[in-house]
Amino acid sequence: MIARVNWVDEACRKTIDKIERTSLSIGASFPNGSAQGRYEKTPAHDWVSGFWPGLLWLAYEETNNVRLKELAVECERQISQTLWEFEQLHHDVGFMFGLSSVNQYKHIQDEEAKRHALMAASLLAGRFNPAGGFIRAWPNWGGEDHSGWAIIDCLMNLPLLYWASREIDDPRYRHVAELHADTVLREFVRDDGSVHHIVSFDPETGKRIGELAGQGHAADSAWARGAAWALYGFTLSYSYTGKEKYLEAAERVARFFLDHLPEDKVPYWDFRLPDFGKDTPRDSSAAAIAASGLLDLAVAVQGEESKEYRQQAEAILHSLYNHYGAWEADEEALLLHATGYYAADVYVDAPLIYGDYYFVEALLKLKKL
Ligand code: GLY
């Protein structure tokens, strides 16, 4: 058993101190991945835009530093403007508005932010295809027809729908979320607990066409971050609905994820590659996402299973803190060695803002346990 109190407290202190420092240079902008020690910025409609305000709110909770709150509020203002860039938007409004507008409403009771989040939830629900029972992921980017594509990551956008249903006391959004989660459970999760990244459906009939590699190595491989999204996403659907089928799915994916980790508990970017060598890139973001999901899973179950999930999450976070942290380096990010999109050569073996977000989220959960 790792001596938890000391390292977790120390890691929380270091990460929060670093966010306070880097907020001076990052300001109210939208970091994506880091290159040469500095975060590259992306427009407010990019799927990652919620993670920096999300980090600012996490740090604000710990410090009460008003400057962090003001930066988060300015980020939310910019993200809310994207509601008028309707054609650019996509299913990841769940990440974007959940981490910015919903957080803002929760922390400072901002009714305008609540309205933005409800509009985003309506937009997300509007992407639902009733013939196939799935939420369409993306617009036709690059001229490619995406009208029948659903992706595993979308499980993480469903909490915006569950939240909206509770907020306005109307089950419609929850129904959409559950119908999508049921489709993902049926069509994406393999018997061994690994998952597909993209499944394509005929948008007219809803019939499954087939699966695509997406950001994974191949259609039949096991993209590590996809598994992490599924583990955490099904756990969230269970915690919002209490439906055992989502808990069983989360546990099946968690078993696959944990059984395929290398010794240092941080996965290679895909669990099924033709060969693994010492230069195969890791994905520290997948490790951070899975650790945060495992801590929720540990709360959802009892006894030995709960203990195991918590210990595994702790071991992952300990390894990230000790071997993947950018504590001494001249680097704005917190975690090194993530992989964004290997095949497109986008942020391979680089820091990613969502790796940082889930690392801090998980550390703070662990501290509070
Ligand atoms: N498509 C979201 C991700 O890279 O995980």
Side-chain angles (χ1 to χ4, degrees), residues 4-322:
R4 183 160 66 83
V5 178
N6 291 336
W7 83 261
V8 177
D9 285 349
E10 182 188 283
C12 287
R13 203 172 42 249
K14 270 196 195 174
T15 53
I16 299 299
D17 283 355
K18 185 158 180 180
I19 293 166
E20 283 196 295
R21 273 198 318 276
T22 57
S23 67
L24 295 168
S25 54
I26 297 174
S29 69
F30 304 106
N32 188 0
S34 173
Q36 276 92 48
R38 295 292 169 270
Y39 260 126
E40 294 181 334
K41 308 297 168 30
T42 195
H45 61 249
D46 194 294
W47 79 276
V48 303
S49 64
F51 293 111
W52 177 240
L55 271 170
L56 290 168
W57 284 119
L58 289 177
Y60 173 69
E61 271 175 40
E62 294 297 300
T63 60
N64 274 321
N65 179 337
V66 177
R67 192 173 53 77
L68 302 181
K69 178 180 73 174
E70 285 169 353
L71 288 176
V73 168
E74 171 54 22
C75 286
E76 197 277 339
R77 189 194 65 75
Q78 294 181 42
I79 290 173
S80 70
Q81 296 304 305
T82 68
L83 289 167
W84 281 263
E85 297 171 23
F86 186 80
E87 298 84 350
Q88 303 255 34
L89 287 176
H90 40 74
H91 70 145
D92 286 323
V93 291
F95 285 116
M96 291 165 58
F97 287 82
L99 292 168
S100 60
S101 307
V102 175
N103 261 333
Q104 188 156 314
Y105 173 56
K106 283 183 182 161
H107 282 94
I108 59 172
Q109 293 74 52
D110 181 343
E111 290 290 328
E112 194 65 25
K114 172 180 161 182
R115 205 167 294 125
H116 297 152
L118 289 173
M119 287 165 77
S122 293
L123 192 148
L124 182 56
R127 302 187 72 79
F128 185 70
N129 181 324
F134 64 89
I135 293 173
R136 172 182 173 164
W138 303 311
N140 289 345
W141 283 326
E144 197 170 19
D145 181 9
H146 294 155
S147 52
W149 287 16
I151 75 171
I152 194 74
D153 327 22
C154 189
L155 286 174
M156 295 295 287
N157 292 319
L158 303 185
L160 182 68
L161 298 175
Y162 294 126
W163 168 84
S165 261
R166 284 185 183 173
E167 208 52 53
I168 62 170
D169 196 19
D170 178 334
R172 282 174 301 148
Y173 298 108
R174 172 166 45 78
H175 288 324
V176 169
E178 288 189 37
L179 287 166
H180 177 84
D182 290 347
T183 301
V184 173
L185 183 45
R186 193 177 62 244
E187 305 289 348
F188 284 65
V189 186
R190 305 184 185 110
D191 289 344
D192 67 357
S194 64
V195 297
H196 298 294
H197 182 196
I198 302 177
V199 175
S200 166
F201 301 88
D202 182 324
E204 283 295 342
T205 64
K207 210 168 160 290
R208 179 191 176 110
I209 295 172
E211 54 277 347
L212 293 98
Q215 283 163 262
H217 166 70
D220 59 356
S221 73
W223 179 43
R225 196 162 57 252
W229 292 138
L231 184 171
Y232 197 170
F234 278 122
T235 305
L236 288 168
S237 272
Y238 172 70
S239 56
Y240 278 100
T241 66
K243 295 198 171 160
E244 289 289 327
K245 58 188 172 184
Y246 302 136
L247 182 60
E248 283 163 19
E251 291 204 84
R252 186 143 48 99
V253 178
R255 192 70 277 145
F256 176 86
F257 191 94
L258 294 172
D259 287 350
H260 289 78
L261 288 178
E263 209 170 326
D264 77 351
K265 304 272 176 197
V266 175
Y268 296 100
W269 69 278
D270 193 304
F271 289 114
R272 273 191 204 121
L273 292 172
D275 49 43
F276 292 90
K278 65 175 176 35
D279 294 330
T280 307
R282 306 287 182 131
D283 185 4
S284 58
S285 76
I289 295 159
S292 196
L294 284 166
L295 288 171
D296 284 8
L297 200 50
V299 172
V301 299
Q302 319 224 306
E304 281 308 305
E305 278 189 323
S306 171
K307 207 164 125 192
E308 192 207 343
Y309 294 140
R310 179 170 156 168
Q311 283 175 351
Q312 292 279 7
E314 192 173 331
I316 293 170
L317 292 170
H318 191 252
S319 178
L320 289 174
Y321 176 56
N322 278 317

